[in-house]
Amino acid sequence: MMNRDEIIKIVSANDTTVLSFPNRGPWGSSYYRGNCSGYIPAFFIWKYDAASVAEIFAGSGTTSDLCKDMGIPYKGIDLNPEPARKDIITMNILDDQVELPDEFYSADLCFLHPPYPGINNVRYSTGMWHGTAEEIAQDIQEMDWKRGMQAVNHAIMRGYNAMPAGSFEVVLVGDVRSKGQYHSMIADLIRPTELHQLFVKVQHNCVSDRSGNTYNRSDRALTAHEMIAVFKKPSGYEIAYVVPHEYKLDVRDSSMATWKDLVAAVMRKLGKESSLDEIYKEIEGHKKAESNPHWREKVRQTLQSGPFSHTGRGKWSFAA
Ligand SMILES: C[S@@+](CC[C@H](N)C(=O)[O-])C[C@H]1O[C@@H](n2cnc3c(N)ncnc32)[C@H](O)[C@@H]1O
């Protein structure tokens, strides 16, 4: 237990967008995988002067315990059929037939620390607690990246729709590396309204620190932070969301690629001295060519002005 003044003294000393709390505090359980420091919700309760808190993904009860010490009402939900605290109820946030508890409709702050989909060594329904096959299928941790991020974004929208105008939604997310793939949750996060502010949470004592991993010889650095996105609800009715969307197309069909981009891509692909006919063949029939009746002239003009050299035998190559 800590008292409100002690907590506020600690969090208010860190009043920047880089949140660094080496201790997690006496709240929740450090054994619960993916638990977070109670100083994180404490900082936002202090910062936004929140008089009540609601939480999706309540886990080991960190925010529940903290709110008791802060002396404010709290309500949480989690998929766990045996919730860690009395003020946490069992609920699948992906089931839209089930309504969120009333407290979500009046809380000043809605906190979400979702599962990080695709991390292999963190398990909720098959580790921290034991779920039925149905619960396991709804556990966001068990989902692959794409489905998991859709589920996280669904949860963010559900929290947002319940929130009263003027309240804050605070979402703590991380980076995931699994099977050689790197993903960053913040990059794929839905934004239900204008972003109010972004924070960096410095990671302390995480499992990847202790494993002694160093990435000296890799072209990626060791992840030592998480990110926190804060949204402030402007009005009662408005939803103005942005969802990151994945596009995949051939550069030869892209209206955004310039002629220099396109010819450079073709010359790199051909990888050798090439005749105009060979170059045309790569471009013909693609949207960029179809959009310009004089595309062959455009290609010749680009070859003459860009990083390409005319080798003298009617052939062109990428300039060395
Ligand atoms: C990262 S943990 C939260 C940890 C928490 N911040 C703490 O300090 O203990 C994510 C939680 O999401 C829960 N969860 C997974 N899928 C869910 C779903 N579909 N609906 C509700 N909760 C879910 C898991 O049971 C887990 O407790």
Side-chain angles (χ1 to χ4, degrees):
M1 286 249 322
M2 278 176 79
N3 73 47
R4 188 183 167 95
D5 292 345
E6 271 178 281
I7 302 167
I8 289 178
K9 197 170 160 208
I10 292 170
V11 294
S12 59
N14 190 152
D15 191 11
T16 76
T17 52
V18 179
L19 302 182
S20 178
F21 300 108
N23 299 314
R24 63 178 308 289
W27 312 288
S29 165
S30 60
Y31 295 106
Y32 198 83
R33 293 302 308 277
N35 72 89
C36 91
S37 161
Y39 289 111
I40 298 299
F43 173 82
F44 292 102
I45 291 169
W46 165 72
K47 187 84 203 151
Y48 303 138
D49 202 15
S52 57
V53 174
E55 180 173 44
I56 303 176
F57 310 118
S60 69
T62 306
T63 313
S64 163
D65 294 350
L66 168 80
C67 287
K68 268 186 206 91
D69 285 1
M70 296 288 280
I72 58 173
Y74 165 90
K75 190 77 184 180
I77 69 132
D78 198 283
L79 188 62
N80 186 350
E82 289 178 26
R85 301 287 183 269
K86 282 205 177 67
D87 47 14
I88 299 173
I89 63 156
T90 302
M91 177 178 160
N92 170 17
I93 193 61
L94 305 178
D95 183 353
D96 291 344
Q97 301 305 310
V98 183
E99 298 281 5
L100 281 165
D102 294 351
E103 291 85 341
F104 278 71
Y105 291 79
S106 55
D108 296 331
L109 197 153
C110 182
F111 185 62
L112 289 84
H113 179 208
Y116 297 178
I119 294 189
N120 297 321
N121 58 356
V122 175
R123 292 276 170 264
Y124 295 114
S125 57
T126 58
M128 295 316 307
W129 47 272
H130 297 285
T132 59
E134 207 177 309
E135 282 155 355
I136 295 169
Q138 296 302 311
D139 178 355
I140 298 172
Q141 190 67 60
E142 298 291 316
M143 297 178 185
D144 64 23
W145 175 259
K146 211 167 178 176
R147 206 170 140 242
M149 280 312 297
Q150 278 168 0
V152 168
N153 287 341
H154 187 102
I156 292 173
M157 288 312 296
R158 283 210 67 185
Y160 184 79
N161 289 341
M163 284 161 50
S167 61
F168 294 88
E169 187 169 37
V170 176
V171 188
L172 166 61
V173 292
D175 291 354
V176 173
R177 278 220 228 184
S178 160
K179 298 178 193 146
Q181 279 274 316
Y182 169 80
H183 294 291
S184 181
M185 291 177 78
I186 196 82
D188 285 359
L189 211 65
I190 201 167
R191 300 201 298 273
T193 183
E194 246 174 59
L195 187 62
H196 186 69
Q197 198 157 23
L198 265 188
F199 291 80
V200 172
K201 170 184 175 284
V202 177
Q203 262 182 324
H204 299 280
N205 303 317
C206 60
V207 171
S208 52
D209 279 352
R210 292 194 296 270
S211 67
N213 280 343
T214 57
Y215 292 96
N216 291 343
R217 296 175 59 82
S218 152
D219 59 3
R220 288 209 176 100
L222 181 70
T223 301
H225 73 284
E226 292 166 290
M227 300 287 296
I228 299 164
V230 179
F231 306 103
K232 184 176 183 184
K233 190 163 181 172
S235 74
Y237 281 140
E238 190 187 334
I239 304 176
Y241 63 94
V242 176
V243 198
H245 194 86
E246 201 178 290
Y247 295 94
K248 248 188 195 161
L249 76 163
D250 191 307
V251 66
R252 295 169 294 182
D253 296 321
S254 161
S255 57
M256 220 191 83
T258 64
W259 282 100
K260 191 167 169 179
D261 297 338
L262 172 60
V263 174
V266 168
M267 297 306 287
R268 284 191 197 107
K269 161 83 187 333
L270 291 171
K272 57 176 175 57
E273 274 189 348
S274 306
S275 67
L276 270 177
D277 277 349
E278 286 173 302
I279 298 167
Y280 291 154
K281 220 166 124 194
E282 288 292 310
I283 299 172
E284 192 159 26
H286 283 277
K287 286 199 182 124
K288 187 81 180 167
E290 280 169 3
S291 68
N292 185 339
H294 307 295
W295 66 271
R296 286 187 178 79
E297 284 94 316
K298 230 28 221 165
V299 170
R300 288 199 298 279
Q301 197 186 29
T302 309
L303 282 165
Q304 275 153 17
S305 61
F308 314 103
S309 34
H310 189 212
T311 55
R313 292 182 300 278
K315 296 209 166 182
W316 291 87
S317 64
F318 217 103

